[in-house]
Amino acid sequence: MTRPIAGTPSLLRAINDRAALMVLLERGPLTRPELGALTGLSKPTASQLLARLQEAGLVVLDGIREGLPGRTAELYRINPRAAHVAALDVTPARIAVAVADVTGAVVAEHRLATPGRTGGDVVERVRAALAGACGPAGLDPTELSRVVVGIGGAVDPSTGRLGYAAHIPGWHIPDLIGTLRDGIGVPIDVENDVNLVAQAERSTGSARGHQDYVLLWADEGIGAALVIGGRLHRGATGGAGEVGYMPVVGAPTARDVGRRANHGFQALSGGPAVLALLRAHGVRGSTPSGAVRNAVAVAGRGGPDGESAREALRDLAGRLALGLAAITAVVDPEIVVLSGGVLLAGGEVLRETVERELHALTIPRPRVLLSTLEGNPVLAGALDLALGAVREELFGALNKSPSTHC
């Protein structure tokens, strides 16, 4: 049990500082009276607070606001150069990078092609990707406060190795996070890419306000993220949500064909299976998402071609719902968010059909929503995670205050 601690002057200052910084982050730039009104602080206290935060380099003047009664009012805002973070999205073909300041504004982006690489020094690759983004922004990678790497796999906390990622060579080294941290010289986290999409959905997308939800990602590969009680559930080996390996009716199992062969939910609903299914109904495309987009377009027409495309979409929705039904039965989410190229290409037509098929299979009937994120959702989630950690370090003096336990 934790007993409340008396409000010492230093603790009260920490509380006020954090409240003011969060208000400036969300609402700034603000005048001193506006900041006082929004935080409930008196004018003298607000003045002392701003002087303290300016001295710490966390707040800067942002000009003046004219035309108001009385004297000209100075505007204050969060100092964007107080901290910078970077996000990486790693695939076999490239590393995409975004750098943001502490306010969340993206100041630089870069894309490092990595085609046909069969390994090599992963630290050098990450350093090159960061340098390509930081250079034009006038930053050195060692000035970054935190880096979050999104990748199609998961780090096993018991071994420090990346698993579930045989398709990305070079990253399967001992103590991956420690090696990157020591080699780059800044704090680094490595997170599953679909987990990062779920993080972004909770911050700015379809999952805002929800504490229990599942995100299903379907493109070339298929995966999921589980958020339970407002927290990402990673599992004992980091592999929670790696549902591509999940046994489902209608697909071969690892016992049937071996662990390295195509099996499970991926064999039933992954990219190659989507192309084959649609081709069997006379719908073609160069990519799974392109084929689904073509199917939706043809389904809107009359005649036998339209009916065949509609049947193809029903079959695809049934396959996706079959896997979702198993997840729903265990997790019982408030909502299911659909993301990834295949599901977004299917739009409302595929969403409605997946929801109908899912509700026909399960007792819980969670709403099924499409992702509303724009741009690269992996980078968005990685930036959100990095900014949350850095802001907590900068603004979180309150959480470092002592407490008494018994």
Side-chain angles (χ1 to χ4, degrees):
M1 185 176 71
T2 301
R3 292 196 295 266
I5 302 299
T8 63
S10 60
L11 178 59
L12 293 175
R13 280 196 299 272
I15 294 171
N16 291 339
D17 288 354
R18 181 181 177 87
L21 286 165
M22 294 307 296
V23 168
L24 284 169
L25 191 65
E26 295 167 5
R27 303 282 294 273
L30 297 170
T31 64
R32 188 185 291 109
E34 288 171 338
L35 182 62
L38 289 168
T39 57
L41 300 176
S42 66
K43 288 183 180 180
T45 301
S47 296
Q48 293 169 7
L49 178 149
L50 284 169
R52 188 165 59 246
L53 295 180
Q54 281 183 279
E55 185 178 356
L58 295 176
V59 169
V60 293
L61 279 171
D62 191 46
I64 58 175
R65 182 178 295 165
E66 299 177 342
L68 297 176
R71 65 180 187 177
T72 301
E74 294 177 326
L75 287 166
Y76 297 87
R77 64 182 172 95
I78 296 289
N79 180 7
R81 297 196 66 82
H84 288 86
V85 301
L88 278 67
D89 176 19
V90 177
T91 70
R94 56 94 178 120
I95 301 176
V97 189
V99 176
D101 64 36
V102 72
T103 70
V106 175
V107 298
E109 295 180 295
H110 181 64
R111 184 185 179 98
L112 176 70
T114 58
R117 296 200 180 185
T118 57
D121 189 340
V122 67
V123 174
E124 285 303 318
R125 259 181 283 170
V126 171
R127 184 181 290 119
L130 289 172
C134 290
L139 294 169
D140 188 281
T142 58
E143 296 178 85
L144 294 168
S145 296
R146 185 167 292 270
V147 174
V148 173
V149 179
I151 193 166
V155 175
D156 187 334
S158 66
T159 65
R161 285 183 175 272
L162 184 71
Y164 307 96
H167 60 298
I168 303 181
W171 287 76
H172 309 87
I173 60 175
D175 190 20
L176 173 62
I177 295 175
T179 300
L180 289 172
R181 181 188 60 235
D182 295 343
I184 305 300
V186 300
I188 290 184
D189 296 313
V190 178
E191 181 62 85
N192 174 263
D193 52 0
V194 180
N195 283 351
L196 291 174
V197 178
Q199 174 77 21
E201 289 288 352
R202 186 182 179 195
S203 294
T204 60
S206 296
R208 287 188 74 175
H210 294 279
Q211 296 294 303
D212 295 272
Y213 62 93
V214 169
L215 181 134
L216 181 69
W217 175 278
D219 201 6
E220 285 290 345
I222 195 160
L226 313 177
V227 177
I228 302 172
R231 298 174 64 89
L232 277 168
H233 181 69
R234 296 177 176 87
T237 66
E242 293 289 348
V243 297
Y245 302 97
M246 181 174 66
V248 289
V249 175
T253 67
R255 182 176 57 195
D256 298 328
V257 297
R259 293 185 179 275
R260 295 186 179 277
N262 197 24
H263 65 274
F265 198 20
Q266 172 69 25
L268 187 72
S269 305
V274 171
L275 284 173
L277 171 65
L278 297 183
R279 192 179 302 118
H281 287 82
V283 180
R284 297 183 178 275
S286 58
T287 64
S289 59
V292 170
R293 195 172 293 110
N294 292 341
V296 171
V298 175
R301 306 172 192 166
D305 288 347
E307 177 53 38
S308 184
R310 289 190 289 274
E311 184 181 350
L313 291 171
R314 285 194 297 270
D315 287 351
L316 175 57
R319 294 184 180 196
L320 293 167
L322 193 62
L324 275 173
I327 301 168
T328 298
V330 174
V331 179
D332 189 18
E334 298 173 79
I335 60 169
V336 173
V337 180
L338 305 181
S339 190
V342 164
L343 290 162
L344 295 178
E348 278 297 314
V349 172
L350 187 56
R351 184 207 67 78
E352 290 176 2
T353 314
V354 169
E355 184 175 67
R356 184 168 58 249
E357 293 289 332
L358 176 63
H359 290 178
L361 293 171
T362 59
I363 302 253
R365 293 188 170 187
R367 284 189 301 146
V368 177
L369 306 174
L370 275 177
S371 170
T372 56
L373 298 175
E374 297 180 356
N376 184 320
V378 177
L379 289 180
L383 285 177
D384 191 71
L385 210 60
L387 286 167
V390 168
R391 288 169 182 166
E392 190 62 31
E393 292 167 3
L394 290 175
F395 307 166
L398 171 61
N399 288 344
K400 297 177 183 177
S401 61
S403 59
T404 302
H405 299 273
C406 65

